[in-house]
Amino acid sequence: MPACNLPESPRQPGTPRSPEPPDWSAAREGLREAMTLAGWPPDAVQDAELALCELYVNAWKHGGSPAPVVVVVVLADRTLRVSVSDDSPELPEERPCSDPYEVSGRGLHLVRNLTHRFGTAPRKAGKSIWFELDAAA
């Protein structure tokens, strides 16, 4: 996936957003490293990377966050939990996926199909959207 650049300075309310999403390579590399160290298979790492990308770009595009905050945790039961936070309190809605040729609108469907669970958690300023993957026994 192409690397994207952060805007020169954080976006002020009412100013246009950068036309490209911020660079998410550090988040992707952190996710890959945590999963590899925990012994996850490459196909699970790829699924998690794609789900992270969807949430990250959505936080930038719909949540108005110039640099979404990503937290990656491998829990003691070997469950991976990834959360992406943005500044918008508006919760995402999964849209009906009727036209397979639509340019957008299928991100949450992808996340649902690539992960075991996903959801949202309100925060003082904005929200977090998270997903979990369970390690194979």
Side-chain angles (χ1 to χ4, degrees):
M1 294 191 181
C4 302
N5 296 320
L6 284 170
E8 289 295 316
S9 61
R11 186 169 75 95
Q12 298 297 317
T15 61
R17 175 179 66 236
S18 169
E20 292 196 24
D23 183 357
W24 68 290
S25 60
R28 181 182 65 230
E29 289 168 14
L31 172 66
R32 187 181 305 137
E33 183 178 338
M35 292 182 77
T36 300
L37 288 173
W40 288 72
D43 59 329
V45 175
Q46 290 173 349
D47 287 349
E49 285 179 349
L50 182 54
L52 169 60
C53 179
E54 287 297 327
L55 296 185
Y56 194 87
V57 171
N58 282 350
W60 164 77
K61 184 176 181 181
H62 303 293
S65 186
V69 176
V70 176
V71 176
V72 176
V73 178
V74 179
L75 304 170
D77 66 353
R78 295 196 18 93
T79 296
L80 172 78
R81 184 178 177 104
V82 176
S83 65
V84 179
S85 301
D86 63 46
D87 300 329
S88 172
E90 188 174 327
L91 298 178
E93 291 184 32
E94 209 170 334
R95 293 190 236 167
C97 201
S98 57
D99 184 353
Y101 300 106
E102 282 293 321
V103 175
S104 66
R106 292 186 299 276
L108 292 179
H109 292 282
L110 274 172
V111 173
R112 176 179 302 286
N113 289 304
L114 292 169
T115 66
H116 292 110
R117 290 168 295 287
F118 84 99
T120 59
R123 296 178 37 220
K124 222 177 208 185
K127 66 180 168 304
S128 291
I129 304 173
W130 56 267
F131 68 83
E132 292 181 343
L133 285 173
D134 300 326

